[in-house]
Amino acid sequence: MTTTPSQQELFRYLEDRFECARTCAECARTSTLRASLMDPDGPKRQEAARRSGILCAEVCEATCHVLSRHPGPSDRELRARLEWCRDVCLECAEAFDACPESEAAARKCRECARSCADFIATLG
């Protein structure tokens, strides 16, 4: 027997979905900007952070697009996408932590990871 979500549950789901999409878009912009400021021929940790930032931007942008689609993917597919985005954002934040002047970008990545985790929790 399936139960239909209440209107309040549906609104909460949509609010969380849009908040996650917004946070993903912000993280993508921040990660792209931070990666573009890093020297591709710089130290290894800077190159790792640069690559991580580019990957994070791509994953966040793709996740934002998925969250914006209607109808969207199944909850199972959505959960997998959000878990992937959360994990990539956390890895990127750690990479940015190793580079000077990247604190704001690391913070944005962690905010995005938290937003993904919060939305995953609403999927049940």
Side-chain angles (χ1 to χ4, degrees), residues 45 49 90-100 102-103 106-107 110:
R45 72 172 187 241
L90 290 174
E91 289 172 12
C92 187
E94 289 176 10
F96 284 156
D97 284 340
C99 296
S102 296
E103 297 84 11
R107 193 170 36 260
R110 285 190 177 87

Side-chain angles (χ1 to χ4, degrees), residues 2-110:
T2 58
T3 59
T4 344
S6 71
Q7 193 171 18
Q8 185 177 10
E9 289 170 327
L10 180 60
F11 286 147
R12 172 66 188 205
Y13 173 86
L14 292 173
E15 285 173 351
D16 287 347
R17 185 177 183 129
F18 290 129
E19 176 60 22
C20 189
R22 184 192 64 75
T23 308
C24 284
E26 286 179 15
C27 185
R29 279 190 297 276
T30 303
S31 295
T32 300
L33 176 61
R34 176 53 42 201
S36 71
L37 295 174
M38 293 182 175
D39 181 8
D41 298 321
K44 291 276 186 210
R45 72 172 187 241
Q46 192 174 28
E47 174 59 19
R50 185 176 164 280
R51 287 176 187 242
S52 187
I54 292 168
L55 176 63
C56 187
E58 290 172 351
V59 170
C60 285
E61 186 175 330
T63 302
C64 183
H65 287 293
V66 166
L67 291 169
S68 300
R69 283 193 342 232
H70 183 74
S74 69
D75 282 357
R76 184 171 154 234
E77 293 171 293
L78 188 55
R79 177 183 300 279
R81 168 69 70 171
L82 291 166
E83 288 172 348
W84 182 43
C85 187
R86 177 200 60 206
D87 294 347
V88 168
C89 286
L90 290 174
E91 289 172 12
C92 187
E94 289 176 10
F96 284 156
D97 284 340
C99 296
E101 300 179 19
S102 296
E103 297 84 11
R107 193 170 36 260
K108 276 292 178 205
C109 289
R110 285 190 177 87

